[in-house]
Amino acid sequence: MNIPADRLTLEQINSMAKTDFVEHLGGIFEHSPWVAEGVYSRRPFDSVQELHAAMMETARHAEPGQVLALLRAHPDLATRLAVSPLSAAEQRGAGLDRLTPEEFVQLTGLNAAYTAKFRFPFIFAVRGKTKEEILSAIGERVGRSLEEEQKQALLEIGAITRFRLEDLLGAE
């Protein structure tokens, strides 16, 4: 099997020193390298799915303040501010860089209402979604309870990070 130049193998990941492991996997969870640090000692991983499950378990079982920091590390969707390269590419793929002025105002308003209510940004796995689906989702989710949204946000982070790991390592 030929591995693309920007892809790593699970064997390479399993054999890395901790600093290299965290350097390569630290950005999978938005600005939260502590997740990669937390799973390093659990190597070797037999599959990308096992690695992802370990990372999600680490994120879910962190101290509440650390989980909140993870949620808050995500950018607002369609923000005009700087975002991580991974987030920017994901948002471009969903058409969020091509919002009409009206759609941008709508999304900005919904983002503000969501963040004011929940104290973390709206998190949505945008890959494969349209801007219309994203607008619909945030419109629905802003009416939920904090507990529902924290659970949903972690589910969305799970989808986002699974995509990112599969991009980096393939779907072994």
Side-chain angles (χ1 to χ4, degrees), residues 29 34-35 39 42 51-62:
F29 283 72
W34 59 267
V35 177
V39 301
R42 294 174 64 177
L51 170 59
H52 184 251
M55 293 179 94
M56 285 302 300
E57 181 182 330
T58 297
R60 280 192 188 99
H61 293 99

Side-chain angles (χ1 to χ4, degrees), residues 73-172:
H74 285 75
D76 286 337
L77 293 180
T79 183
R80 300 290 195 234
L81 302 175
V83 298
S84 75
L86 290 173
S87 287
E90 290 159 356
Q91 291 189 35
R92 272 193 310 276
L96 293 179
D97 60 333
R98 297 179 301 280
L99 292 172
T100 66
E102 296 79 16
E103 290 168 334
F104 182 74
V105 167
Q106 179 186 13
L107 186 54
T108 300
L110 286 167
N111 270 329
Y114 185 98
T115 302
K117 180 175 181 178
F118 298 116
R119 299 291 190 223
F120 58 85
F122 174 68
I123 301 169
F124 191 70
V126 300
R127 187 175 295 187
K129 305 291 189 221
T130 65
K131 59 185 180 177
E132 292 80 15
E133 289 171 309
I134 296 163
L135 285 165
S136 175
I138 191 171
E140 174 206 328
R141 286 175 50 192
V142 75
R144 290 183 177 175
S145 72
L146 176 60
E147 184 178 312
E148 288 174 306
E149 266 316 287
Q150 285 178 326
K151 286 179 184 175
Q152 186 64 44
L154 284 171
L155 288 173
E156 297 294 334
I157 288 171
I160 293 164
T161 56
R162 187 185 73 250
F163 289 140
R164 290 176 178 181
L165 274 177
E166 289 174 355
D167 288 348
L168 180 66
L169 300 170
E172 294 179 22

